[in-house]
Amino acid sequence: MAKLQVAIDLLKTEDALALATKVAPYVDIIELGTPLIKSEGLAAITAIKNAFPDKKVFADFKTADAGELEADMAFSAGADYITILGSTGNSTIAGAVKAAKAHGKGVVVDTIGVADRVKRAQEVIELGVEFVELHAGLDEQAEEGYSIQVLIDEAKRAGVPVSIAGGVNLDSIQAVKDSGAVVAVAGGAIYGAEDPAEAAKALRAILN
């Protein structure tokens, strides 16, 4: 069964905690978005993990260099997952995987900015990453003609464990589930909803 990940793209730890508190009963993974980590630092990771020890905490570092060092930082702060950019070199990913093994945690490769996401996903899985995030970022989603269907089709072709991030909502989550993705990542569909708890509950119901 696919897991549900909430992407929290807020800028203050207190706001992230408030949102996470509402949606925690319905999600498996709590993601601290890159802007939140840049705004609040490693302390945000520790605060979320301390508040929700039974949830997986996902630190969206989008690391492009110093893979082992940055992964060690994230894991030491309480993260269960860190993202490394798929567009970076294999040595950076391998370094992060080394840190993950030392901590008993996981590396996720983020394909934002990668031209051939399927090919890169197949390559990096060989390096020991847990899953690959087929990711269309906020800027790409805002481009004319964007459709999450591209990611859904890629997930079906990849043949490796992937998550899908980039417009997961009530309209698309069934197709995301059917694609074989191991994780569905919802951001705005949850934190932008009038009732984030109800939104997360509805998404979870479809995944179940």
Side-chain angles (χ1 to χ4, degrees):
M1 188 177 75
K3 291 179 172 165
L4 181 59
Q5 175 172 326
V6 59
I8 302 182
D9 287 323
L10 306 172
L11 298 182
K12 291 276 174 254
T13 302
E14 61 195 312
D15 296 336
L17 282 165
L19 176 64
T21 300
K22 290 175 187 166
V23 305
Y26 312 108
V27 304
D28 306 288
I29 305 170
I30 300 172
E31 173 189 339
L32 304 188
T34 316
L36 175 62
I37 292 171
K38 285 184 176 177
S39 173
E40 297 281 44
L42 296 171
I45 300 170
T46 308
I48 293 282
K49 189 61 182 181
N50 286 346
F52 306 97
D54 59 326
K55 301 294 176 186
K56 297 285 190 189
V57 173
F58 184 111
D60 191 17
F61 269 48
K62 295 191 178 80
T63 292
D65 188 25
E68 185 175 357
L69 174 63
E70 291 205 359
D72 187 67
M73 287 164 58
F75 298 139
S76 296
D80 298 287
Y81 297 112
I82 183 177
T83 53
I84 310 294
L85 285 175
S87 54
T88 195
N90 286 356
S91 58
T92 300
I93 297 167
V97 169
K98 184 182 172 191
K101 284 181 174 157
H103 286 270
K105 310 287 187 175
V107 171
V108 178
V109 165
D110 185 332
T111 58
I112 207 163
V114 171
D116 189 337
R117 288 183 281 241
V118 171
K119 179 168 176 275
R120 192 62 177 138
Q122 292 164 344
E123 288 168 358
V124 300
I125 275 293
E126 298 293 316
L127 300 173
V129 310
E130 196 149 324
F131 59 91
V132 178
E133 185 170 293
L134 299 177
H135 189 189
L138 295 173
D139 293 342
E140 184 178 339
Q141 289 178 55
E143 290 171 10
E144 200 174 331
Y146 170 75
S147 169
I148 191 174
Q149 191 61 45
V150 175
L151 302 179
I152 290 164
D153 293 342
E154 288 172 349
K156 290 176 185 168
R157 295 204 322 268
V160 297
V162 299
S163 64
I164 291 180
V168 172
N169 56 32
L170 276 177
D171 295 330
S172 62
I173 195 159
Q174 182 66 48
V176 169
K177 177 186 174 183
D178 293 344
S179 77
V182 295
V183 178
V185 185
I190 293 176
Y191 66 71
E194 201 170 311
D195 186 336
E198 276 302 313
K201 185 179 180 182
L203 291 167
R204 157 65 65 203
I206 295 172
L207 287 181
N208 286 358

